Amino acid sequence: MTTIPLTARRPVSLPRPGTVLSLLVVGFVVVAAIAPWLLTGDSPTAIDLTATLRAPSLQHPFGTDDAGRDLLTRVIYGARESLGLGLGATALAFAFAIGLGFTAALAGGVVDAAITRVLEVAFAFPSLLLALLVIAVRGPSLATSIVAVGIGSAPGYARMIRGQVLAVRQAGFIEAATALGHGRLTVIRRHLFPNAMRPLVAVATLGVGQSIVWASALSFLGLGVAPPSSEWGALLDAGRLHITTSWWLEILPGVVIVLVALSVTSLGRTLQHRLGGAAR
């Protein structure tokens, strides 16, 4: 019977407590977004004027708002819009970024120089300012928030994708595939694109948390999703009118936003480490 030397055995890598906690938080938010009725039996729009502005209690863990609606229920139902904003904005940003980044890196010359200059100018503006410009043109709404945050995030992602494509393009396996007679489109589809995008999967995960925060900030400023929506930023916007008397309307949704953003960021960092990508 052959025994494996102790030196040959690979240690089992257990997930860190922070990673486990982040998974639990993100899992809870996903369940809330897909099936909120599994977490609460109340309605987010049920008005009870006899229970307005009640402090957190066993009956209402997050308290109630000025219409007597249970705040925890509204936070749970708001997860769908907030998570949808984060995912939609990040997907849109990467769609723009992939098109610009790959075009600049593969075309080279004047095209690369022109796209790079445009990206540098766009990147010089604060991302939130670009989002505000989009909202000023289209008007506030859920769809506009997704477009605004996506466009605001795209220049930074495009620069990373361009740099990644240029680095992978010079790799030996790309030259080998070309030498073997594979067509340009085949090399891009089978070799260049997967290897260039692999380290950016973690960056996209980080972007979801960032997009949730930005979308919430726009709603808080009254430029995103408008009440009576239960999107988390809209809850902050509605609660600021009572912040001096009913602190839970502002603090507790804010804590949820921060906790979810930190959890998504933590998972993104873990994924980045697993994939061997450097932090950007």
Side-chain angles (χ1 to χ4, degrees), residues 79-269:
R80 178 175 298 176
E81 287 182 306
S82 295
L83 187 60
L85 276 167
L87 293 173
T90 303
L92 183 63
F94 263 83
F96 278 119
I98 288 172
L100 292 173
F102 270 82
T103 301
L106 296 179
V110 177
V111 175
D112 183 22
I115 293 178
T116 301
R117 295 294 86 76
V118 171
L119 291 176
E120 288 177 351
V121 172
F123 195 72
F125 285 91
S127 300
L128 195 56
L129 179 59
L130 288 178
L132 291 174
L133 291 175
V134 175
I135 292 174
V137 173
R138 293 177 52 92
S141 68
L142 177 63
T144 301
S145 295
I146 293 176
V147 173
V149 176
I151 291 178
S153 307
Y157 295 142
R159 293 180 66 187
M160 284 190 287
I161 290 173
R162 175 185 174 275
Q164 191 68 24
V165 172
L166 289 175
V168 175
R169 188 180 180 183
Q170 300 174 357
F173 62 87
I174 297 294
E175 296 180 359
T178 304
L180 289 174
H182 294 294
R184 180 179 175 86
L185 291 179
T186 301
V187 172
I188 294 174
R189 177 175 56 86
R190 296 184 59 183
H191 303 285
L192 184 59
F193 184 84
N195 286 281
M197 294 303 298
R198 181 172 175 266
L200 298 174
V201 173
V203 177
T205 305
L206 296 172
V208 173
Q210 176 181 277
S211 297
I212 291 175
V213 173
W214 285 3
S216 298
L218 292 174
S219 296
F220 176 73
L221 295 173
L223 300 172
V225 183
S229 169
S230 54
E231 189 264 332
W232 295 338
L235 294 180
L236 291 177
D237 183 34
R240 63 176 174 163
L241 299 176
H242 307 280
I243 189 171
T244 57
T245 58
S246 305
W247 57 267
W248 56 90
L249 296 178
E250 199 79 5
I251 300 300
L252 297 182
V255 169
V256 171
I257 294 172
V258 172
L259 184 60
V260 172
L262 288 176
S263 298
V264 174
T265 301
S266 175
L267 292 180
R269 292 291 183 184

Side-chain angles (χ1 to χ4, degrees), residues 24-46:
L24 291 175
V25 171
V26 172
F28 183 88
V29 173
V30 171
V31 172
I34 297 175
W37 56 86
L38 295 178
L39 303 176
T40 177
D42 297 328
S43 169
T45 58

Side-chain angles (χ1 to χ4, degrees), residues 26-95:
V26 172
F28 183 88
V29 173
V30 171
V31 172
I34 297 175
W37 56 86
L38 295 178
L39 303 176
T40 177
D42 297 328
S43 169
T45 58
I47 296 176
D48 183 4
L49 297 180
T50 63
T52 59
L53 299 177
R54 289 190 176 178
S57 62
L58 291 178
Q59 184 179 2
H60 302 288
F62 276 27
T64 61
D65 62 10
D66 54 357
R69 295 170 295 194
D70 183 72
L71 186 58
L72 177 59
T73 299
R74 289 179 61 75
V75 168
I76 290 173
Y77 274 85
R80 178 175 298 176
E81 287 182 306
S82 295
L83 187 60
L85 276 167
L87 293 173
T90 303
L92 183 63
F94 263 83

